[in-house]
């Protein structure tokens, strides 16, 4: 079966889709959002367990990425096609529907992170109308860039990714300079190394490594996708994981762990001795750009996913429409409108706790996508040999372990969240059938 699939090729033409660097920037840019800037503070109490936790998370994520890279190299069409080929239309739709809803809410959350980062520089937008205007404005700005062309979104992604790496690389340079000058680095919290501590710390790093699935999702608009997407997957996860591990440790080698654990801006405080009082402003602006880049990847990814699902008849066919240059404009507009609508609801006091819970539950959708794709590699026998089979099994087990890490309550509601797509699919198929019926054509 996989030989036939391998013969299919992407029809994305040169100079219209995402090039190799743009595809890589989509993966890295989606993974590096705003969360990394707070992770040193969150992880500080775990001391030397941090290194082992990151290595565990990076290894598990890399196994999933390798499996998805195998799928991307053999099956054109992105995750929708992967899961459909392995398990059929209904499981594929439920997986993708759940993921789409989670990304729509995720765009809202990241837009709030953009406004939150900028509020460090402009306190007036810390809450209320100012917060809403900046968050909604960032969504509209990204929608405009994405509507122009796929390559415009790709260029924006490359630029944002290069900028967001600056503070992460800066702390590494400062640590090297400190060691070279003969000054000792700060000690990590003297917490004993133990499985419980490693697993607890790893649970905090799991979702920081999500986002790499944007590579396969945007495969239909990527040039030479069968080659560029797998490379972007593997290199992107490896590079991001290495940067996360080393940057987290670098901050804790520059700041006393007790101070880092209570810091609201650990990177800014670590860089302050070098840049002085402006460090906080610079890092805040870069954090806003970082979040903006993550949202750019999410918007293009969910728009392309919406298009692919609609092409299969599981959403109204209007969502499959694209401009002449291949831009899935209906999906982009839909993502922007729904995300801004969530911003409006988020301003209501009663909605805050509900939204926080939905955000937690929607994270399960990413785990569902990883688990289904890992299982698809095994089902379709695309492992490439014994080593590939072992990696695929580890990926599947790791994905299941993440469900346990998220907790039964969130997992239960996440699955119900996915099942809510069943009536959506039924209504969409009925609507599409009526629209394409002879009676409808005559009328």
């Amino acid at each position: 079966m996989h030989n036939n699939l391998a013969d299919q090729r992407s029809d994305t033409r040169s100079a219209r889709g995402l090039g190799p660097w743009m595809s890589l920037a989509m993966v890295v840019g989606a993974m590096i959002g705003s969360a990394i800037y707070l992770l040193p503070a969150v992880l500080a109490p775990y001391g030397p367990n941090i290194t082992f936790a990151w290595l565990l998370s990076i290894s598990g994520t890399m196994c999933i990425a390798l499996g998805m890279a195998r799928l991307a190299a053999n099956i054109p069409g992105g995750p929708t096609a992967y899961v459909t080929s392995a398990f059929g239309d209904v499981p594929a739709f439920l997986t993708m529907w759940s993921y789409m809803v989670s990304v729509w809410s995720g765009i809202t959350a990241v837009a709030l992170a953009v406004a939150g980062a900028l509020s460090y520089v402009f306190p007036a937008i810390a809450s209320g109308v100012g917060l809403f205007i900046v968050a909604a404005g960032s969504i509209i700005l990204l929608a405009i860039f994405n509507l122009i062309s796929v390559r415009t979104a790709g260029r924006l992604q490359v630029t944002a990714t290069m900028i967001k790496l600056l503070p992460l690389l800066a702390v590494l340079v400062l640590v090297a300079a400190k060691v070279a000058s003969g000054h000792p680095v700060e000690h990590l919290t003297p917490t004993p190394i133990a499985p419980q501590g490693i697993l607890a710390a790893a649970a905090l790093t799991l979702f920081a490594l999500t986002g790499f699935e944007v590579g396969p999702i945007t495969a239909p608009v990527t040039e030479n996708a069968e080659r560029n997407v797998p490379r972007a997957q593997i290199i992107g996860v490896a590079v991001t994981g290495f940067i996360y591990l080393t940057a987290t440790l670098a901050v804790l080698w520059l700041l006393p762990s007790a101070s880092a654990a209570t810091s609201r801006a650990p990177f800014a405080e670590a860089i302050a001795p070098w840049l002085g009082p402006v460090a906080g402003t610079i890092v805040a602006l870069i954090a806003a750009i970082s979040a903006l880049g993550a949202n750019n990847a999410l918007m293009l990814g969910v728009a392309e996913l919406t298009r692919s699902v609609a092409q299969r008849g599981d959403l109204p066919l209007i969502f499959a429409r694209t401009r002449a240059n291949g831009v899935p404009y209906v999906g982009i507009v839909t993502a922007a409108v729904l995300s801004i609508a969530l911003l409006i609801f988020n301003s209501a006091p009663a909605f805050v706790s509900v939204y926080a819970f939905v955000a937690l539950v929607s994270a399960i959708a990413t785990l569902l996508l990883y688990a289904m794709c890992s299982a698809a590699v095994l089902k379709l026998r695309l492992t490439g040999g014994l080593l590939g089979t072992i990696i695929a099994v580890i990926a599947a087990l790791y994905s299941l372990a993440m469900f346990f890490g998220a907790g039964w309550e969130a997992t239960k509601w996440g699955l119900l969240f996915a099942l809510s797509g069943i009536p959506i699919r039924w209504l969409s198929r009925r609507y599409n059938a009526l629209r394409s019926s002879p009676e409808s054509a005559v009328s």
Side-chain angles (χ1 to χ4, degrees), residues 271-358:
I271 297 173
W274 181 37
L275 294 179
V278 299
T281 299
I282 293 174
V283 172
L285 291 174
I286 292 177
I289 294 172
S290 178
L292 198 70
N295 250 0
N296 182 57
L298 290 177
M299 183 169 289
L300 179 59
V302 76
E304 182 55 38
L305 185 58
T306 303
R307 183 198 63 79
S308 68
V309 172
Q311 279 186 327
R312 295 171 179 271
D314 291 335
L315 287 175
L317 292 176
I318 188 174
F319 290 100
R321 292 181 181 176
T322 63
R323 294 180 58 196
N325 60 1
V327 172
Y329 69 95
V330 177
I332 291 171
V333 172
T334 300
V337 170
L338 290 176
S339 299
I340 291 175
L342 282 173
L343 275 176
I344 297 172
F345 284 120
N346 192 56
S347 64
F351 183 79
V352 175
S353 58
V354 176
Y355 179 76
F357 179 71
V358 170

Side-chain angles (χ1 to χ4, degrees), residues 45-69:
Y46 294 95
N49 291 286
I50 295 171
T51 300
F52 297 99
W54 273 119
L55 291 175
L56 175 63
S57 297
I58 293 169
S59 299
T61 303
M62 180 59 77
C63 287
I64 298 173
L66 287 168
M68 293 184 75

Side-chain angles (χ1 to χ4, degrees), residues 37-346:
Y37 296 102
L38 291 175
L39 271 177
V42 175
L43 294 173
Y46 294 95
N49 291 286
I50 295 171
T51 300
F52 297 99
W54 273 119
L55 291 175
L56 175 63
S57 297
I58 293 169
S59 299
T61 303
M62 180 59 77
C63 287
I64 298 173
L66 287 168
M68 293 184 75
R70 294 286 301 176
L71 292 169
N74 287 275
I75 307 176
T80 306
Y82 310 160
V83 182
T84 300
S85 298
F87 303 108
D89 292 334
V90 175
F93 171 76
L94 295 180
T95 301
M96 298 309 135
W97 166 257
S98 180
Y99 183 76
M100 283 190 297
V101 175
S102 80
V103 174
W104 290 329
S105 61
I107 290 174
T108 301
V110 177
L112 289 171
V114 173
L118 290 176
S119 69
Y120 183 92
V121 184
F122 308 103
I125 64 172
S127 61
V129 176
L131 182 70
F132 172 80
I133 290 175
V134 173
S138 72
I139 294 173
I140 294 171
L141 178 65
L142 291 177
I144 292 172
F145 271 97
N146 277 270
L147 286 169
I148 294 172
S149 72
V150 170
R151 290 187 71 82
T152 300
R155 293 187 188 100
L156 174 64
Q157 193 65 16
V158 171
T159 303
T161 300
M162 292 176 66
I163 293 173
K164 72 172 62 180
L165 292 176
L166 293 177
L168 307 182
L169 298 176
V171 291
L172 300 180
V173 173
L174 289 177
V175 166
K178 189 172 186 178
V179 172
S181 64
H183 293 85
V185 297
E186 298 291 339
H187 295 289
L188 300 178
T189 303
T191 304
I193 299 175
Q196 184 177 0
I198 294 172
L199 291 175
L204 297 171
T205 65
L206 291 178
F207 295 109
L209 290 167
T210 61
F212 63 88
E213 66 279 357
V214 169
I217 288 172
T218 55
V221 290
T222 301
E223 299 169 8
N224 300 316
E226 293 77 16
R227 180 188 64 186
N228 290 332
V229 170
R231 288 182 180 178
Q233 284 277 102
I234 297 169
I235 296 173
V237 171
V239 168
T240 304
F242 175 77
I243 291 174
Y244 274 178
L245 168 61
T246 53
T248 302
L249 291 176
V251 169
L252 297 177
W253 284 332
L254 293 170
L255 292 177
S257 289
S259 300
T262 58
S263 174
R264 295 180 60 187
F267 275 87
E269 289 189 22
I271 297 173
W274 181 37
L275 294 179
V278 299
T281 299
I282 293 174
V283 172
L285 291 174
I286 292 177
I289 294 172
S290 178
L292 198 70
N295 250 0
N296 182 57
L298 290 177
M299 183 169 289
L300 179 59
V302 76
E304 182 55 38
L305 185 58
T306 303
R307 183 198 63 79
S308 68
V309 172
Q311 279 186 327
R312 295 171 179 271
D314 291 335
L315 287 175
L317 292 176
I318 188 174
F319 290 100
R321 292 181 181 176
T322 63
R323 294 180 58 196
N325 60 1
V327 172
Y329 69 95
V330 177
I332 291 171
V333 172
T334 300
V337 170
L338 290 176
S339 299
I340 291 175
L342 282 173
L343 275 176
I344 297 172
F345 284 120
N346 192 56

Side-chain angles (χ1 to χ4, degrees), residues 285-440:
L285 291 174
I286 292 177
I289 294 172
S290 178
L292 198 70
N295 250 0
N296 182 57
L298 290 177
M299 183 169 289
L300 179 59
V302 76
E304 182 55 38
L305 185 58
T306 303
R307 183 198 63 79
S308 68
V309 172
Q311 279 186 327
R312 295 171 179 271
D314 291 335
L315 287 175
L317 292 176
I318 188 174
F319 290 100
R321 292 181 181 176
T322 63
R323 294 180 58 196
N325 60 1
V327 172
Y329 69 95
V330 177
I332 291 171
V333 172
T334 300
V337 170
L338 290 176
S339 299
I340 291 175
L342 282 173
L343 275 176
I344 297 172
F345 284 120
N346 192 56
S347 64
F351 183 79
V352 175
S353 58
V354 176
Y355 179 76
F357 179 71
V358 170
L360 173 64
V361 172
S362 67
I364 296 297
T366 305
L367 302 184
L368 180 60
L369 177 65
Y370 293 169
M372 293 297 283
C373 286
S374 298
V377 176
L378 294 169
K379 177 74 181 300
L380 297 174
R381 299 181 180 179
L382 294 174
T383 57
L386 178 60
L387 179 60
T389 301
I390 294 172
I391 291 174
V393 170
I394 292 174
L397 293 176
Y398 179 72
S399 300
L400 294 175
M402 287 198 289
F403 280 105
F404 288 103
W408 166 244
E409 190 68 15
T411 298
K412 177 183 68 177
W413 284 100
L415 293 176
L416 290 175
F417 205 33
L419 293 175
S420 70
I422 292 177
I424 300 294
R425 182 175 187 266
W426 183 82
L427 289 171
S428 296
R429 286 185 164 262
R430 292 272 297 177
Y431 172 78
N432 291 335
L434 288 173
R435 293 284 295 175
S436 61
S437 66
E439 293 81 0
S440 174

